[in-house]
Amino acid sequence: MDKSDFQAYEDEIQALEEEIRLLTEKYEVLQQESTFFSDEEIFQAIKSFQRENQGETRGHESPSDLKAQLESLETDLSFLMKFTGFQFTSHSKKTVEKTTNRTVQKHTLSGKCHFLPFHLEFQLLEMQNNEKVSAVVSDLSIKMESREDSDVSKFVSSIEEHADLLKFFRSLSTYAEWHEHRRRTFLHFKAKYPDIVTLPEGLLGDFIILRNPKVSGFELMIVWKIHLDAEGTTTPVLDLLTKVPEKVLEQRMTSVESIPGSFRSALGLFGIEAAIENLIKVLGSEK
């Protein structure tokens, strides 16, 4: 190999090093930006990157290997979203401070858990001491549509005060799962007993009305509240209210008054779905 060949390789190496430097600078600039990117945009960018780099992976993994890895990651992401109910729709971070062993970044994160949307803003301090890296969350701000609920508002205020992101995600997951369970339960009974079950506030309401078409004016209201305390504990609370015409009340005062208590007992013995099912069947049998 003569001198000209060595020079050609050196020129190519220098060109590659310059390209790497430019790409690194571009990457760091993009990391500093606060622009939101959706999941679809991110996946499109990855696929575009794959197309541009096909045939240029000498000494690296083949395009088929990279595609398999991407598909595996997408499958894992889909599983996690189904398992936890979380779907993150946008994320951005901006470096506020950076030294040799200290980095402060501002994060903005939006998403939803089942159908409950949320928006977070917080700072993350990362400190490196020898081989150990520690992270501290501060300046946490949470926005939720359901914060109008006093229980949710107290919970969010407590989370913001202690900047406890882990508790927020864990508690929100359980809280949202109960809302989703209530929605599916209401949908099930509405579809199964359309002549008896009505949903005045829709599937996202917290009560259903039961009416017997053969007994005018007689209604049972099942109220299903979902409480969330400041510690993040979710508790479903169900009760039964009655609306009875005067004539029916005079004739069957004792039996009518016992309905709410019987319903609460059935909840403890059989569970929510079975208690509602039995109540509907008894109501439907009345003439």
Side-chain angles (χ1 to χ4, degrees), residues 40-282:
E40 183 179 355
E41 289 172 326
I42 292 172
F43 288 139
Q44 288 298 328
I46 293 174
K47 291 175 182 178
S48 175
F49 177 81
Q50 286 183 313
R51 288 195 297 269
E52 292 174 0
N53 287 274
Q54 284 181 353
E56 299 179 11
T57 57
R58 289 175 298 178
H60 301 283
E61 295 175 282
S62 67
S64 59
D65 290 336
L66 292 174
K67 183 178 180 181
Q69 289 184 22
L70 176 61
E71 291 175 348
S72 177
L73 289 172
E74 290 176 345
T75 300
D76 291 343
L77 178 61
S78 176
F79 169 77
L80 285 173
M81 287 193 298
K82 290 178 180 178
F83 183 72
T84 64
F86 281 102
Q87 181 178 359
F88 298 106
T89 54
S90 65
H91 171 248
S92 69
K93 64 179 179 179
K94 182 178 181 180
T95 301
V96 178
E97 176 187 341
K98 187 171 184 179
T99 61
T100 305
N101 58 359
R102 173 186 170 96
T103 302
V104 180
Q105 292 180 322
K106 182 177 181 180
H107 290 255
T108 303
L109 179 66
S110 295
K112 61 182 180 178
C113 186
H114 293 292
F115 66 92
L116 295 177
F118 60 86
H119 178 82
L120 308 178
E121 292 182 5
F122 59 92
Q123 284 198 357
L124 183 65
L125 167 62
E126 293 184 344
M127 295 176 289
Q128 185 166 0
N129 185 10
N130 296 327
E131 296 182 355
K132 295 182 179 180
V133 178
S134 60
V136 179
V137 175
S138 63
D139 298 334
L140 176 60
S141 174
I142 303 173
K143 295 180 181 178
M144 293 180 62
E145 290 181 6
S146 56
R147 191 165 181 173
E148 296 176 1
D149 184 313
S150 61
D151 287 347
V152 175
S153 181
K154 290 176 183 177
F155 164 71
V156 169
S157 296
S158 175
I159 293 295
E160 289 177 332
E161 180 182 354
H162 297 93
D164 194 339
L165 276 177
L166 179 60
K167 180 183 284 189
F168 171 75
F169 286 118
R170 184 175 61 241
S171 300
L172 181 63
S173 177
T174 303
Y175 181 70
E177 282 176 2
W178 270 108
H179 276 269
E180 179 64 14
H181 177 52
R182 182 178 66 183
R183 186 192 69 82
R184 289 196 301 264
T185 302
F186 284 177
L187 177 61
H188 165 74
F189 285 116
K190 176 60 179 175
K192 188 173 182 179
Y193 304 102
D195 296 333
I196 295 177
V197 177
T198 59
L199 302 169
E201 294 185 350
L203 292 173
L204 300 183
D206 58 11
F207 69 93
I208 61 175
I209 301 290
L210 309 181
R211 296 190 181 102
N212 185 334
K214 300 175 182 178
V215 183
S216 178
F218 184 78
E219 293 183 359
L220 299 178
M221 176 189 289
I222 300 175
V223 181
W224 185 345
K225 299 286 187 179
I226 301 172
H227 293 309
L228 178 67
D229 65 21
E231 297 302 316
T233 302
T234 299
T235 306
V237 179
L238 287 87
D239 206 352
L240 182 67
L241 304 177
T242 60
K243 179 182 177 183
V244 187
E246 238 180 79
K247 291 182 179 179
V248 175
L249 190 60
E250 291 173 356
Q251 296 171 359
R252 309 177 66 174
M253 171 71 77
T254 304
S255 60
V256 169
E257 288 182 341
S258 67
I259 293 176
S262 298
F263 177 69
R264 285 189 287 270
S265 297
L267 286 171
L269 290 172
F270 308 114
I272 295 173
E273 292 80 3
I276 296 176
E277 180 87 29
N278 290 336
L279 185 63
I280 292 174
K281 288 182 177 178
V282 171

